[in-house]
Amino acid sequence: MESVFRGVINLLLPDGGLMALAARGSGDAPRTLVVDIAHWLDRGVEAGRVVEFGPDGIVLQGAFGGLRVSVRGAAEWHPILPRLDSLTPSELAVPARALHHLVSVDGELGGMLGVSPGAAPMEVAVCTALEHGRDALVRAVRSSDTVGMRDAVLALLGLGPGLTPAGDDFLTAIALLSSLDGSGLGLFARVLHDVLDEQPGRTTLLSTTTLREALSGRVRAELVDVLCSLAATPGQSEVQAVETVRAPVRRALAHGHTSGTDTLSGLVTGLHLERELRGSL
């Protein structure tokens, strides 16, 4: 067991990645088994304990004889992502502006959106560095500057507090967009993949696993819902698009403290980059 929290246990796998055992109501996500349990507290499990994987389930060693999690009857989750190749630059611009509006109004300060009121000097420094990293990445992607992209990714990777720092959440959304059919962000995806290979300790193991999954088009269910709602906006005005995406965006924003906001901020930036790259073809 790599780490134990109220709602999630992260298990270290033989390949060096992670999988999660999530309490009921946590929502679907890659490498996650949702278990019919209210929480993991007071269950006798703790980080560092051995885990046994078998054909019928998972055994978590610990106090009280340990726990056995059965996988019999578990339903598989197969998210379906939209395509980008059929969308024109203007059809990308409307959902990007709608998403930007909702994130700006409903998002949490303290990460990619900037400092929160009364922020401590450390938060100010982190938010300033996040802004500089984002701007550097945008410039590098626009000019197809692989060296600049690498420097910007390194500046953002691991930047911020928590198990999934703000810079990583931001990069996760752009990585997801790069995985969609018709994306123009393939060069960014290759740079990010290489950096993750070359700098395995640059950020947390959870973030590294999340980023690798996003590069393959695998993310949390609420983020898939946001993408699908954005893809349903062609022909709509910006006001109509805001209403189309409002509910899934609010669900995604509720993830973590600023994690949802930081991820959707990356999606806004990625959509604008997709539009600009599409317009230059």
Side-chain angles (χ1 to χ4, degrees), residues 92-106 229-230 233 236-246 249 264 268 271-272:
L92 285 169
V94 171
R97 290 196 298 266
L99 181 59
H100 174 75
H101 169 76
L102 289 171
V103 173
S104 299
V105 171
D106 297 328
S229 68
L230 291 169
T233 60
Q236 294 184 356
S237 67
E238 187 174 333
V239 172
Q240 291 171 322
V242 165
E243 293 308 311
T244 296
V245 305
R246 186 185 299 276
V249 164
L264 293 189
V268 170
L271 286 170
H272 282 303

Side-chain angles (χ1 to χ4, degrees), residues 150 191 193-201 212:
R150 174 184 169 80
V191 170
H193 183 276
D194 289 345
V195 169
L196 292 175
D197 281 349
E198 297 163 7
Q199 304 276 344
R212 290 191 184 280

Side-chain angles (χ1 to χ4, degrees), residues 1-2 9-15 17-21 31 33 49-61 67-69 71:
M1 283 173 269
E2 194 266 350
I9 297 177
N10 291 313
L11 307 181
L12 183 62
L13 301 177
D15 65 1
L18 291 179
M19 72 163 287
L21 298 179
R31 291 185 174 226
L33 179 64
R49 293 277 189 171
V50 173
V51 179
E52 297 178 9
F53 294 88
D56 297 324
I58 301 170
V59 176
L60 309 176
Q61 293 188 7
L67 288 175
R68 178 181 295 275
V69 178
V71 296

Side-chain angles (χ1 to χ4, degrees), residues 103 106-117 123 127 161-166 169 220 250-263:
V103 173
D106 297 328
E108 290 289 338
L109 296 173
M112 297 304 306
L113 283 192
V115 298
S116 56
E123 181 181 316
C127 289
L163 285 175
T164 58
D169 290 328
R220 303 187 314 272
R250 283 183 171 173
R251 289 194 294 271
L253 287 173
H255 182 73
H257 178 52
T258 67
S259 187
T261 299
D262 299 330
T263 303

